[in-house]
Amino acid sequence: SQKIEQNSEALNIQEGKTATLTCNYTNYSPAYLQWYRQDPGRGPVFLLLIRENEKEKRKERLKVTFDTTLKQSLFHITASQPADSATYLCALEIRSGAGSYQLTFGKGTKLSVIP
Amino acid sequence: KAGVTQTPRYLIKTRGQQVTLSCSPISGHRSVSWYQQTPGQGLQFLFEYFSETQRNKGNFPGRFSGRQFSNSRSEMNVSTLELGDSALYLCASSLYGDYNEQFFGPGTRLTVL
């Protein structure tokens, strides 16, 4: 069965440093992968989508890479700020037939940026 | 543009009861997905609806069901509640589903006693 793993449950980092979060998956070849941010008591908020034919995508201080050979995505936050503290979720699409899909989420990495 | 709304926000039920949760997607969005979130299992996919049709269903028992109306609003129902059904239930809408970002609502916190 498909499995998606975010290798750290929690990550502490000093303000101003680059945070790097990892998402690994097995037994599947997704057409794309998404990253979301979730704050306590709230629903996840979409950050970035990267397709299988894209190696890297950037948005302001965020960067996502997608290595389909390693079956891994890396999510970077440069110049991290305390406001970046949240849980970050990766999600990949599972296709189960024509026009049918579902997003499978990792359990998330809780990032804490220390001032 | 108004975001995704979910009602009620909090709910307390007892074992054996049933519950109906409601989700209003962003205007113009035709795809609605439901997820269950627990500390142990994380976010798990329940089902996805598009234009009133269930396109996909996750690995949950038949006690979990849903539907979508012609205005894209969606409901999910859980019958014969069990203690393990206590969770945050999240609804997400997107334009067409696939390849689109999902916009999540704030969730309904269900507690089963």
Side-chain angles (χ1 to χ4, degrees):
Chain A
S1 63
Q2 300 89 1
K3 187 184 276 190
I4 179 167
E5 289 182 346
Q6 295 185 245
N7 66 342
S8 299
E9 279 192 27
L11 179 66
N12 296 327
I13 192 164
Q14 208 70 35
E15 182 178 4
K17 300 292 186 183
T18 297
T20 298
L21 285 63
T22 305
C23 178
N24 296 292
Y25 59 93
T26 59
N27 299 334
Y28 193 67
S29 297
Y32 62 87
L33 188 146
Q34 299 183 10
W35 283 88
Y36 288 79
R37 168 186 172 139
Q38 187 173 24
D39 292 285
R42 294 175 176 261
V45 174
F46 172 82
L47 296 173
L48 283 165
L49 181 154
I50 186 165
R51 297 169 186 256
E52 61 179 339
N53 60 348
E54 297 175 314
K55 296 294 183 189
E56 180 180 300
K57 199 157 217 185
R58 293 175 186 259
K59 178 182 175 184
E60 297 172 353
R61 295 184 295 111
L62 309 180
K63 184 178 87 170
V64 171
T65 62
F66 194 7
D67 189 325
T68 55
T69 302
L70 290 179
K71 293 187 182 292
Q72 181 181 80
S73 175
L74 299 178
F75 177 81
H76 307 272
I77 306 175
T78 58
S80 57
Q81 305 166 1
D84 296 325
S85 298
T87 296
Y88 291 85
L89 304 161
C90 69
L92 55 84
E93 58 87 30
I94 304 291
R95 213 167 272 276
S96 61
S100 175
Y101 88 106
Q102 67 181 66
L103 274 187
T104 296
F105 282 81
K107 291 188 178 179
T109 296
K110 185 176 180 181
L111 174 68
S112 297
V113 180
I114 303 160
Chain B
K1 193 186 261 191
V4 177
T5 58
Q6 291 187 245
T7 56
R9 291 293 313 278
Y10 302 92
L11 207 48
I12 299 175
K13 292 284 188 180
T14 56
R15 279 183 301 173
Q17 287 187 308
Q18 76 163 16
V19 67
T20 298
L21 312 180
S22 181
C23 171
S24 292
I26 290 173
S27 177
H29 285 192
R30 294 168 64 186
S31 170
V32 173
S33 297
W34 288 89
Y35 298 86
Q36 180 195 68
Q37 187 172 35
T38 59
Q41 298 299 319
L43 258 173
Q44 291 188 285
F45 174 81
L46 281 158
F47 25 66
E48 187 248 356
Y49 287 88
F50 182 85
S51 293
E52 302 180 67
T53 300
Q54 185 183 88
R55 292 199 294 190
N56 205 354
K57 190 177 192 303
N59 191 25
F60 278 82
R63 300 185 296 107
F64 292 81
S65 63
R67 59 177 176 169
Q68 187 181 33
F69 302 96
S70 58
N71 61 358
S72 292
R73 191 176 71 82
S74 178
E75 287 181 349
M76 69 162 279
N77 184 277
V78 188
S79 62
T80 320
L81 284 166
E82 300 177 359
L83 295 178
D85 297 333
S86 294
L88 181 67
Y89 289 88
L90 290 158
C91 152
S93 77
S94 66
L95 272 172
Y96 303 114
D98 207 0
Y99 283 93
N100 288 171
E101 64 179 282
Q102 298 204 48
F103 294 83
F104 282 82
T108 294
R109 172 73 62 186
L110 172 65
T111 302
V112 182
L113 302 176

